[in-house]
Structures are given as structure tokens and as C-alpha cells.
């Protein structure tokens, strides 16, 4: 019986990496554009990762926005080296880009392109928590 309990514990906790949160998870502040920035929560969305708008700020003050609850990033898949590939949605123009993010500590460089890379947009986000 003791061996069975031991085996169960090893089976449940021996795969800790599978249960560990991805390092990109958490709350991020987008780079301000014309005094507007957002808080985006990076989280699991099924087997992939998404970033959901949590709050909009204008000139440092919270403002209501219809983008809260929508995905800023979606279908993100990590490659294991701190790079994530998926899609990005930019609320200021309503365009969806082939997106990527590169995680470096508390900094997340986000980029996205349309038309085969002819039109691109980049930002650096900072981790809040």
C-alpha cells in the first residue's frame, strides 16, 4: 500500500513542468500610444496562450472600453526559447496580425505583420505581476 501511495505521489508531482505556469503568464502593461495603454492578462486558453484586455488607460486614468475582455493576443504557442508565435489584434485599427512575442525577464517584445510582412507593428510590454 505504501508503494502505491508513493507511486501516485511521484506520478502526480513528478511531472511538475506540465503543471507549471508558463513564464509569460501574468499581467502586462502595453506600450503607450498617444497616451493610451492597456493592461493585458496573458493566460492559458485551451492548449494555447492568449492575452486578454483587462483595462484601458488614457493619460494615466482608467477609462471604459469595449475592448475589455477581448483578445489582444491569441493562438500563441511557445517554442521553448522565450519566443511565442500566434496572432495579435490591434484595437486602434481593428487589424489582426501574424504575431510573435519574445519574453526577456519582465519585458515582452510584441510584433505583428500583415501582407506577408509589408506592414508591421511592434511594442514592448512591461510585466505588472
Amino acid at each position: 500500500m505504501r508503494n502505491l501511495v508513493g507511486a501516485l505521489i511521484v506520478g502526480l508531482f513528478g511531472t511538475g513542468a506540465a503543471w507549471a505556469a508558463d513564464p509569460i503568464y501574468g499581467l502586462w502593461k502595453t506600450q503607450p500610444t498617444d497616451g493610451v495603454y492597456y493592461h493585458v492578462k496573458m493566460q492559458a486558453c485551451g492548449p494555447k496562450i492568449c492575452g486578454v484586455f483587462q483595462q484601458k488607460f488614457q493619460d494615466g486614468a482608467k477609462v471604459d472600453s469595449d475592448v475589455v475582455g477581448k483578445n489582444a493576443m491569441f493562438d500563441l504557442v511557445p517554442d521553448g526559447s522565450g519566443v511565442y508565435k500566434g496572432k495579435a489584434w490591434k484595437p486602434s485599427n481593428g487589424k489582426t496580425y501574424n504575431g510573435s512575442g519574445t519574453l526577456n525577464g519582465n519585458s515582452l517584445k510584441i510584433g505583428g505583420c500583415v501582407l506577408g510582412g509589408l506592414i508591421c507593428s511592434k511594442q514592448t510590454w512591461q510585466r505588472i505581476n
Side-chain angles (χ1 to χ4, degrees), residues 78-107:
D79 75 356
S81 70
V83 176
Y84 298 79
K85 296 199 185 246
K87 303 282 185 190
W89 178 66
K90 188 173 181 182
S92 63
N93 64 12
K95 294 194 183 301
T96 299
Y97 298 86
N98 289 321
S100 66
T102 303
L103 181 62
N104 186 3
N106 290 323
S107 179

Side-chain angles (χ1 to χ4, degrees), residues 39-87:
H39 286 176
V40 175
K41 183 177 180 185
M42 300 299 284
Q43 61 190 27
C45 291
K48 297 184 180 178
I49 298 169
C50 65
V52 180
F53 288 109
Q54 300 295 300
Q55 183 65 61
K56 180 180 179 180
F57 296 83
Q58 186 162 358
D59 299 323
K62 289 182 181 181
V63 295
D64 290 334
S65 175
D66 60 350
V67 303
V68 170
K70 295 182 180 178
N71 286 338
M73 305 286 298
F74 55 98
D75 291 341
L76 291 174
V77 178
D79 75 356
S81 70
V83 176
Y84 298 79
K85 296 199 185 246
K87 303 282 185 190

